[in-house]
């Protein structure tokens, strides 16, 4: 028999039915809100896809890439309704079945986000990285509102714990639903990645209003009306590095496009680091576990202050040591030093606290590894001369301290520490002993490196001050170099104008002579004195000037005056022409600096020749072999014969357009650096200073603006093909390093997933 005070355990069937109906109504309201808002957001996103792909197609590097984007546009237009239906239906199904879904198994790794890096295919790996990056960033940004949605859904679902990873409207679930819907799309991965980026920008980034509407509706229905919208996220080994990085990056609130791209790249790197730990079974790798094994993990992980203190000790030791010479420094040994910094850091912390920690926190380990990879890249970067690699490698510890003090260093392109390193690398790229005989550049870079080693403690403003100092130094050097470059370019331009003027003069004279055979006297005047007059007229007055037209008219009359006189009319015509010919000759020969006595002697010979033409005197052999005087001031302008003009190199694109190296040459812009290493000669670094609009030749100068060489496009393409020249990257060092790090980690992740498969 029941005790009087025993609670009644009988539940009315009608009460249970009412409860189920209420849950269904509330979930139906959530489903309706989610369906309506997501449909609008997804529609807005797809409106942007067409424009984005069209812009990329216009900027594509070749026809093949352009066609991939156009094919993607057509595929999206055709499949868009199916993708939208699939996505919205999956979200609706997940919300409907949320009360009957089994509880999720405990997470095995440190990350709660769905990092699906166990896939083997490289395309799927890229897709997984895109999903991971956008999920981590938005979960961190929306943490407050999402926490409230999770708690209220847990209540209406009868106490089933709803978390970020199991909430059907959380960024993780929505990203996975969209990934599943994208299987309807038969497009290249590069197109899909663009669409994922737009999904992040136009759907996930706009979820705040969705969560606020859901919370408002559930509060109105009486579900946890007093709930405070707070969420506490741990920051330790258990927290994902990707989420921590996203929180740090989003706190800055930088909406600049370049900063957004840099931040997304950092999210990808963090996700890859997190995946690397997950592949290792949750164990911190790369030297974080000491000889004590897993049991040693009971030691507390070092704090940021402990890390900074240990780094300061290592920094002072490095600053007091001698600078190794590049000749005596083994690159492999230097690379090992860079890679072993983490081990040295743990050892130094052990010496300071009396016990050696076995690991650091996940986010600190990522930072240490990321800085280490950055300086490994510097040591392997052939863009930098060996002497500069040795100098810049000494900055690893100061930059690790800076990255721990300010997590935005890798996320913001315009961070002062990042700009300083890029500036040093840019200055170092064009350095050589030949162009820096006074050691101004080397000493400046060395001085900045030494000041960072000796003076940097925790004052991040030091990077900005040194950056301003470096910029002022570069500006001063740039102005001096520009003056030298200008003189070199003007000299080259003058030589080309002279050469083109000579060819134009020769061509005009040869075209008018044609197949005629002129007497030596007439031919000599045209080929030497008058050709020079034409050249000077082109250079001084231009080819469209009246003076040049008059000079060409004289050529026609002078050639006509050599025709045989056979009739009375021929005689009258020649007599009419002679006064004009004499006047023109006097002016023309004076223009090319002939002395008056030389002019009179030549005119005397011409008078004798024309008297013979008119039959007034017998032929005289003295007019048959004429040697015109050549004034010293115009010697370089004269040829003994106007040879057939060479083909002018003003159309380099007409040669072998399928030649990859020639196309590469045609894309070069002034300011690009190249390295020339002819066989048996020293390596030379030179900047493309000027491309001739007349001949198409490429003029190269060194850091001081002095001419190094000039090449025709075909010559430069041949040097690139032969390996005796190579184009140095123009992207900033930091950007190239981050790209290389992502590639390296992605390949390691792909190799690891192959092993798991």
């Amino acid at each position: 028999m029941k005790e009087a005070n025993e609670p009644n355990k009988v539940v009315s069937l009608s009460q249970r039915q009412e409860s189920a109906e209420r849950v269904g109504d509330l979930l139906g309201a959530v489903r309706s809100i989610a369906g309506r808002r997501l449909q609008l957001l997804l529609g807005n996103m797809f409106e942007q896809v067409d424009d984005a792909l069209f812009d990329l197609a216009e900027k594509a590097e070749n026809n093949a890439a352009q066609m991939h984007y156009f094919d993607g546009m057509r595929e999206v237009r055709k499949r868009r309704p199916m993708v939208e239906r699939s996505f919205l239906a999956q979200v609706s199904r997940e919300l409907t079945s949320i009360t009957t879904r089994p509880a999720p198994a405990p997470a095995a790794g440190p990350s709660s986000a769905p990092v699906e890096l166990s896939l083997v295919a490289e395309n799927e790996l890229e897709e997984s990285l895109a999903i991971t990056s956008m999920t981590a960033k938005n979960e961190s940004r929306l943490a407050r509102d999402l926490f409230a949605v999770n708690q209220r859904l847990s209540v209406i679902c009868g106490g089933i714990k709803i978390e970020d990873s199991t909430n059907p409207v959380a960024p993780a679930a929505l990203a996975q639903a969209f990934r599943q819907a994208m299987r309807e799309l038969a497009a290249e991965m590069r197109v899909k990645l663009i669409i994922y980026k737009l999904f992040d920008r136009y759907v996930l980034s706009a979820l705040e209003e969705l969560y606020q509407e859901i919370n408002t509706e559930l509060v109105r229905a009486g579900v946890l009306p007093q709930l405070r919208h707070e969420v506490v996220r741990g920051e330790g080994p258990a927290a994902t590095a990707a989420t921590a990085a996203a929180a740090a990056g989003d706190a800055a609130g930088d909406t600049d496009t370049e900063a957004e791209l840099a931040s997304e790249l950092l999210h990808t790197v963090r996700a890859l680091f997190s995946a690397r730990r997950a592949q290792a079974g949750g164990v911190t790798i790369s030297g974080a576990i000491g000889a004590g094994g897993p049991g040693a993990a009971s030691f507390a992980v070092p704090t940021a202050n402990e890390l900074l203190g240990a780094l300061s000790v290592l920094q002072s030791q490095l600053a007091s040591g001698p600078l190794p010479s590049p000749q005596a420094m083994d690159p492999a040994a230097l690379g090992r030093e860079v890679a072993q910094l983490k081990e040295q850091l743990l050892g130094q912390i052990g010496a300071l606290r009396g016990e050696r920690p076995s690991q650091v926190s996940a986010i600190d380990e990522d930072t240490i590894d990321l800085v280490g990879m950055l300086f490994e890249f510097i040591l392997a970067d052939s863009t930098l001369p060996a002497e500069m690699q040795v100098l810049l490698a000494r900055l690893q510890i100061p930059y690790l301290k800076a990255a721990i003090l300010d997590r935005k260093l890798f996320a913001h392109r315009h961070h002062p520490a990042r700009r300083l390193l890029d500036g040093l690398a840019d200055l170092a790229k064009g350095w050589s002993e030949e162009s820096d005989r006074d050691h101004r550049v080397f000493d400046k870079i060395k001085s900045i490196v030494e000041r960072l080693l000796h003076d940097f403690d925790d004052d991040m403003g030091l990077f900005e001050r040194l950056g301003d100092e470096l910029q002022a130094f570069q500006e001063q050097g740039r102005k001096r170099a520009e003056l030298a470059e200008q003189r070199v370019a003007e000299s080259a331009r003058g030589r080309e104008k002279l050469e083109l003027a000579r060819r134009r003069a020769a061509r005009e004279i040869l075209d008018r002579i044609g197949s005629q055979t002129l007497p030596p006297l007439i031919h000599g005047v045209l080929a030497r004195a008058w050709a020079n007059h034409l050249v000077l007229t082109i250079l001084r007055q231009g080819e469209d000037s009246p003076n040049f037209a008059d000079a060409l008219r004289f050529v026609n009359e002078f050639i006509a005056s050599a025709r045989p006189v056979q009739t009375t009319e021929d005689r009258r015509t020649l007599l009419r022409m002679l006064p004009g010919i004499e006047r023109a000759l006097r002016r023309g020969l004076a223009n090319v600096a002939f002395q008056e006595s030389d002019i009179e002697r030549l005119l005397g010979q011409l008078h004798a020749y024309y008297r013979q033409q008119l039959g007034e005197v017998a032929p005289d052999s003295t007019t048959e072999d004429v040697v015109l005087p050549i004034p010293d001031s115009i010697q370089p302008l004269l040829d003994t014969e106007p040879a057939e003009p060479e083909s002018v190199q003003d159309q380099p694109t007409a040669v072998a357009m399928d030649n990859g190296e020639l196309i590469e040459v045609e894309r070069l812009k002034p300011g690009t650096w190249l390295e020339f290493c002819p066989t048996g000669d020293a390596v030379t670094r030179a900047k493309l200073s000027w491309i001739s609009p007349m001949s198409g030749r490429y003029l190269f100068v060194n850091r001081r603006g002095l001419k190094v060489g000039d090449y025709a496009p075909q010559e430069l393409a041949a040097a690139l093909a032969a390996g005796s020249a190579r184009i140095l990257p123009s992207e900033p060092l930091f950007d190239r390093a981050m790209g290389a790090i992502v590639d390296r980690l992605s390949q390691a992740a792909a190799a690891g997933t192959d092993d798991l498969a």
Side-chain angles (χ1 to χ4, degrees):
M1 186 175 180
K2 288 185 180 180
E3 297 291 336
N5 60 355
E6 184 178 351
N8 186 8
K9 297 182 180 179
V10 178
V11 179
S12 168
L13 198 60
S14 62
Q15 287 179 342
R16 184 176 298 175
Q17 185 174 356
E18 289 176 5
S19 176
E21 289 176 357
R22 176 172 167 76
V23 170
D25 290 343
L26 291 175
L27 281 178
V30 172
R31 190 166 55 246
S32 174
I33 292 170
R36 174 170 45 81
R37 280 202 173 270
L38 290 174
Q39 186 172 19
L40 288 174
L41 294 175
L42 201 63
N44 183 35
M45 182 211 77
F46 273 114
E47 292 301 321
Q48 311 299 323
V49 170
D50 209 60
D51 290 342
L53 291 178
F54 185 81
D55 288 344
L56 288 169
E58 282 194 323
K59 300 173 184 175
E61 63 273 14
N62 52 50
N63 290 336
Q66 188 177 64
M67 287 308 301
H68 288 313
Y69 289 124
F70 283 139
D71 290 344
M73 288 169 59
R74 285 191 290 270
E75 180 69 10
V76 169
R77 289 171 185 169
K78 183 171 64 174
R79 299 283 182 177
R80 171 182 170 177
M82 287 176 278
V83 174
E84 290 181 337
R85 281 198 301 270
S86 174
F87 171 72
L88 295 171
Q90 185 164 341
V91 174
S92 179
R93 283 195 302 271
E94 292 292 326
L95 281 169
T96 301
S97 63
I98 191 172
T99 57
T100 59
R101 188 185 304 161
S111 174
S112 61
V115 185
E116 299 188 359
L117 293 178
S118 58
L119 300 171
V120 177
E122 183 179 348
N123 281 348
E124 295 192 351
L125 173 62
E126 292 184 27
E127 201 172 17
S128 295
L129 290 175
I131 295 292
T132 300
S133 175
M134 70 174 76
T135 297
K137 179 174 66 175
N138 287 284
E139 280 183 348
S140 173
R141 184 177 61 83
L142 300 165
R144 293 168 62 86
D145 291 327
L146 183 56
F147 173 77
V149 172
N150 290 343
Q151 298 304 307
R152 291 189 169 101
L153 286 179
S154 296
V155 170
I156 67 176
C157 291
I160 298 174
K161 188 174 183 181
I162 305 297
E163 297 178 328
D164 292 358
S165 59
T166 56
N167 185 342
V169 293
L174 293 177
Q176 289 298 329
F178 188 66
R179 180 181 186 175
Q180 188 66 32
M182 285 282 284
R183 299 189 188 283
E184 301 282 350
L185 207 63
E188 273 208 342
M189 183 50 62
R190 75 173 82 181
V191 173
K192 287 190 174 183
L193 291 176
I194 297 299
I195 297 174
Y196 280 129
K197 185 170 290 188
L198 294 174
F199 180 78
D200 179 20
R201 181 176 301 172
Y202 291 99
V203 179
L204 297 187
S205 294
L207 290 179
E208 191 171 7
E209 293 181 2
L210 168 63
Y211 296 158
Q212 289 174 354
E213 186 174 352
I214 291 174
N215 280 319
T216 301
E217 177 65 23
L218 294 180
V219 167
R220 190 183 62 78
V223 181
L224 296 181
Q226 303 301 321
L227 177 67
R228 295 178 62 192
H229 293 190
E230 293 182 357
V231 57
V232 178
R233 297 200 182 271
E235 176 131 347
T240 68
T243 304
D250 289 322
D254 192 342
T255 58
D256 181 74
T257 304
E258 288 187 356
E260 181 184 337
L261 293 174
S263 182
E264 287 183 8
L265 185 62
L266 180 61
H267 291 320
T268 301
V269 172
R270 298 292 193 191
L272 286 165
F273 276 134
S274 179
R276 186 174 69 167
R277 283 191 295 276
Q279 287 176 358
V283 178
T284 309
I285 59 173
S286 298
I289 295 296
S298 59
F299 291 130
V301 296
T303 64
N305 285 335
E306 284 183 301
L307 287 171
L308 292 171
L311 284 169
S312 294
V313 173
L314 295 175
Q315 180 177 327
S316 65
Q317 293 172 357
L318 180 62
S320 60
L323 175 66
S325 68
Q327 293 78 14
M329 192 67 204
D330 178 12
L334 196 58
R336 284 193 296 273
E337 285 185 18
V338 168
Q340 289 169 359
L341 179 59
K342 188 193 302 182
E343 192 66 28
Q344 296 172 10
L345 185 57
L346 291 172
Q348 187 60 50
I349 293 172
L352 292 174
R353 66 156 56 168
E355 62 180 19
R356 177 188 169 92
S358 58
Q359 64 184 47
V360 296
S361 68
I363 193 168
D364 285 333
E365 185 192 14
D366 288 350
T367 302
I368 294 169
D369 285 348
L370 191 51
V371 173
M373 288 182 171
L374 167 64
F375 281 88
E376 286 176 7
F377 175 84
I378 288 174
L379 287 173
D381 185 18
S382 59
T383 302
L384 298 172
E387 294 85 347
M388 295 298 162
Q389 289 176 328
V390 172
L391 273 179
L392 297 184
R394 292 167 64 82
L395 292 176
Q396 183 183 8
I397 293 176
Y399 269 80
L400 179 52
K401 287 174 69 176
I404 292 173
L405 285 165
D406 187 358
R407 304 285 185 189
K408 299 190 292 292
L409 190 154
F410 282 94
H412 289 189
R413 263 188 177 161
H414 301 295
H415 192 284
R418 183 164 175 168
R419 286 194 296 111
L420 176 61
L421 189 58
D422 282 340
L424 289 170
D426 182 64
L427 185 59
K429 178 168 65 174
W431 179 88
S432 66
E433 290 187 4
E434 177 64 26
S435 65
D436 190 34
R437 292 181 179 177
D438 55 3
H439 301 288
R440 290 184 71 255
V441 173
F442 183 89
D443 289 345
K444 188 62 184 178
I445 295 176
K446 180 182 176 183
S447 122
I448 291 176
V449 170
E450 295 298 329
R451 284 171 63 184
L452 277 173
L453 280 174
H454 286 93
D455 300 343
F456 179 60
D457 186 16
D458 57 2
D459 177 17
M460 294 297 293
L462 180 60
F463 288 98
E464 188 161 7
R465 293 193 295 274
L466 290 175
D468 291 342
E469 183 181 314
L470 178 65
Q471 187 174 358
F473 176 83
Q474 288 179 296
E475 184 66 17
Q476 186 182 29
R478 183 184 64 79
K479 287 180 179 178
R480 283 199 302 267
E482 279 183 354
L483 289 174
E485 280 187 55
Q486 187 176 358
R487 286 194 294 268
V488 170
E490 286 176 355
S491 175
R493 190 180 294 112
R495 285 194 302 272
E496 289 206 342
K497 283 184 177 179
L498 173 59
E499 181 62 26
L500 290 177
R502 292 180 61 160
R503 291 178 181 172
R504 173 67 188 274
R507 187 165 60 246
E508 293 289 352
I509 292 172
L510 286 173
D511 287 347
R512 283 161 172 76
I513 293 175
S515 58
Q516 302 176 61
T517 302
L518 296 178
L521 176 61
I522 302 297
H523 192 284
V525 170
L526 290 176
R528 296 165 67 80
W530 203 256
N532 197 79
H533 172 62
L534 286 175
V535 169
L536 290 182
T537 304
I538 291 172
L539 294 177
R540 291 172 181 172
Q541 281 88 35
E543 298 180 20
D544 298 326
S545 65
N547 288 346
F548 185 64
D550 290 342
L552 292 180
R553 201 157 32 245
F554 170 81
V555 175
N556 293 330
E557 292 179 357
F558 201 45
I559 293 173
S561 71
R563 293 173 189 155
V565 176
Q566 297 175 343
T567 65
T568 304
E569 184 60 32
D570 292 342
R571 179 184 176 84
R572 283 198 295 266
T573 301
L574 179 57
L575 288 171
R576 283 196 302 268
M577 293 169 59
L578 290 179
I581 289 175
E582 181 174 345
R583 286 194 300 271
L585 265 177
R586 286 187 181 278
R587 288 195 302 269
L589 295 178
N591 184 42
V592 293
F594 269 64
Q595 297 296 323
E596 187 65 29
S597 59
D598 295 327
I599 295 175
E600 292 300 332
R601 185 163 68 89
L602 175 61
L603 289 176
Q605 292 173 332
L606 283 171
H607 286 156
Y609 168 73
Y610 287 126
R611 288 173 67 189
Q612 293 173 17
Q613 287 283 86
L614 294 169
E616 295 177 1
V617 296
D620 186 352
S621 61
T622 58
T623 63
E624 294 298 317
D625 187 15
V626 177
V627 178
L628 295 181
I630 305 175
D632 293 338
S633 60
I634 61 168
Q635 176 76 31
L637 301 178
L638 299 179
D639 276 330
T640 55
E641 291 287 334
E644 183 70 32
E646 301 171 12
S647 60
V648 180
Q649 299 175 12
D650 56 357
Q651 294 181 338
T653 54
V655 182
M657 281 304 297
D658 58 341
N659 185 318
E661 286 79 15
L662 187 56
I663 294 173
E664 200 172 4
V665 166
E666 290 166 355
R667 289 177 178 166
L668 290 179
K669 305 293 183 194
T672 305
W673 283 86
L674 275 75
E675 183 179 78
F676 296 94
C677 39
T679 306
D681 292 342
V683 173
T684 303
R685 293 188 172 213
K687 182 182 72 172
L688 175 58
S689 173
W690 178 68
I691 303 174
S692 168
M694 293 180 285
S695 67
R697 294 186 72 84
Y698 289 65
L699 176 67
F700 290 89
V701 298
N702 63 15
R703 174 68 69 180
R704 289 159 49 193
L706 302 180
K707 180 179 175 181
V708 171
D710 68 293
Y711 300 85
Q714 295 82 357
E715 294 172 338
L716 195 53
L720 290 174
S724 57
R726 69 183 182 95
I727 301 169
L728 299 179
S730 57
E731 296 82 7
L733 171 72
F734 228 105
D735 289 351
R736 290 187 290 111
M738 290 296 286
I741 289 169
V742 169
D743 289 344
R744 176 177 166 184
L745 290 172
S746 299
Q747 291 168 7
T753 54
D754 286 342
D755 294 339
L756 292 173

